[in-house]
Amino acid sequence: MNRHDAYKVMRKVRRYDVSPVLAKLRVRGKERVVAHWASVEPSLQEWWAVPEVIRRWNLLMSHDTATPFPSYVARQYFAPRTDLRGLSLGCGTGGNELVWASTGAFGLLEGIDVSPERIAFASATAAEQGLDGVLRFRVADAGELDRGDRRYDVVLGLQSLHHFDDLDRTLPRIAGLIDPVGFLVVDEFVGPTRFQWSDGQLEAANALLARLPVERRRLADGRIKQRVVRPSRMGMILDDPSEAVDSAALLPSVRRNFEVLEECPYGGTVLHIALSGIAHNFLDGSPETGELLELCFQAEDAALPELGHDFVALVCRPRGAVE
């Protein structure tokens, strides 16, 4: 625990808002993970909400700002198949799965998640968008799947694998779910475990924050984001025991357990933490906002050669797959 945790608790006490803190202390282990992910409200305060950021991802992953990674993978690796059987691990509210189903490559794409609330939301959204014939969602723990389950042409790990621990045991089990000529497609956070940002990251992110206008650093509660701090391990565990639980080991473990056909790093080392909590201030699409985002992108590009990438997309095959 660090002083920033104490400060957050004291703010809640001053607002007579300690019940969420006490509730977290009463819930342990997997139940705490399920409780943490019960909310289905999308966050507009993180970097993934900014359209210009998404176009940057597209450029780094598919080499075209207008082509999302799912469309690129479907064209490069899945075509001309339109009947693929897919499984998405930790699908959440199903937003990513809707995009993958829309590529037309899947006859069936099944999403699983531990949160009943998120599965219900995902199922309803798929029906509303007319994709319930392709998409199926169910409550299940990805860590408990085994080879007794059906095999799939494609398994998707979309911002979910960094919630898994014991990766050198878990990833071979995932490989066993994939057809010998099938694919594992990964889009993941592979940065510091438990968000223990490096000194270099903190220096680069805080230097960027200092260059942004005060109003662009306003948090949802009205406070001004002054700087990025390294969260305490205890605070991370209390919030969500699964968050980035072994994320630094994820990319090496994928490389050991799968043949990597394509690897597309896409930054986040500075942007992810600098824009966290304030991304809603960069959504208006104005020229001024565009100039500030370009400043942000340049700051990250300057840092990446030394600091490396915290996010990566990969297309993989189980080792020993038949061409």
Side-chain angles (χ1 to χ4, degrees):
M1 187 171 181
N2 62 29
R3 62 189 179 88
H4 303 290
D5 297 312
Y7 176 66
K8 286 190 289 186
V9 171
M10 288 306 299
R11 280 196 295 112
K12 290 180 181 293
V13 169
R14 284 197 294 267
R15 299 199 309 262
Y16 304 101
D17 190 23
V18 296
S19 55
V21 177
L22 297 176
K24 286 181 179 180
L25 292 174
R26 288 194 294 268
V27 180
R28 299 181 181 275
K30 180 179 174 180
E31 290 182 359
R32 181 175 290 160
V33 176
V34 175
H36 175 83
W37 292 105
S39 173
V40 299
E41 292 299 319
S43 173
L44 298 179
Q45 299 162 29
E46 304 300 328
W47 73 321
W48 57 72
V50 181
E52 289 88 345
V53 168
I54 295 173
R55 286 194 285 271
R56 174 181 166 86
W57 295 351
N58 293 345
L59 180 64
L60 293 174
M61 289 191 278
S62 70
H63 320 295
D64 178 4
T65 58
T67 302
F69 185 61
S71 300
Y72 171 76
V73 172
R75 182 179 68 239
Q76 293 293 116
Y77 295 96
F78 299 164
R81 294 283 300 273
T82 60
D83 61 345
L84 294 172
R85 292 166 295 138
L87 174 69
S88 183
L89 307 171
C91 63
T93 55
N96 288 320
E97 290 68 28
L98 289 168
V99 177
W100 282 92
S102 297
T103 65
F106 292 91
L108 175 66
L109 177 55
E110 184 178 8
I112 61 172
D113 197 273
V114 296
S115 168
E117 293 85 358
R118 291 191 159 219
I119 288 297
F121 184 92
S123 298
T125 304
E128 290 171 3
Q129 298 197 16
L131 288 170
D132 50 332
V134 177
L135 286 170
R136 297 284 189 277
F137 296 99
R138 63 183 173 94
V139 177
D141 186 339
E144 296 175 359
L145 296 175
D146 58 37
R147 295 172 187 266
D149 291 83
R150 73 165 73 185
R151 287 201 171 191
Y152 296 87
D153 300 302
V154 180
V155 170
L156 302 174
L158 309 174
Q159 300 305 322
S160 60
L161 299 182
H162 70 275
H163 291 274
F164 294 4
D165 60 5
D166 199 3
L167 291 164
D168 280 333
R169 180 185 65 87
T170 302
L171 289 178
R173 292 175 63 190
I174 292 173
L177 299 171
I178 303 172
D179 186 86
V181 294
F183 299 92
L184 171 70
V185 180
V186 172
D187 179 359
E188 282 292 342
F189 172 75
V190 294
T193 295
R194 298 290 189 197
F195 293 169
Q196 297 302 291
W197 315 121
S198 70
D199 290 344
Q201 278 184 276
L202 293 174
E203 181 180 352
N206 286 320
L208 173 57
L209 277 179
R211 299 177 67 186
L212 296 177
V214 170
E215 284 305 310
R216 300 289 183 147
R217 294 188 279 119
R218 191 170 297 280
L219 297 160
D221 63 5
R223 292 178 299 122
I224 301 299
K225 181 175 181 176
Q226 301 293 346
R227 61 196 183 99
V228 174
V229 298
R230 185 183 293 118
S232 74
R233 293 177 182 272
M234 179 179 291
M236 292 286 295
I237 292 169
L238 284 175
D239 191 41
D240 175 7
S242 75
E243 183 61 79
V245 61
D246 200 13
S247 52
L250 177 54
L251 185 55
S253 187
V254 169
R255 290 169 175 163
R256 282 193 298 271
N257 288 284
F258 291 85
E259 177 191 0
V260 177
L261 305 179
E262 186 164 0
E263 183 171 322
C264 305
Y266 63 98
T269 312
V270 176
L271 288 178
H272 172 221
I273 58 178
L275 294 181
S276 180
I278 62 172
H280 56 284
N281 299 310
F282 295 86
L283 301 179
D284 62 16
S286 69
E288 180 188 358
T289 295
E291 291 174 4
L292 288 171
L293 286 170
E294 184 58 33
L295 171 70
C296 294
F297 299 159
Q298 290 174 3
E300 175 158 275
D301 287 340
L304 288 176
E306 179 180 352
L307 299 179
H309 297 253
D310 273 4
F311 289 80
V312 65
L314 307 105
V315 181
C316 313
R317 270 192 172 147
R319 291 205 172 273
V322 178
E323 294 290 341

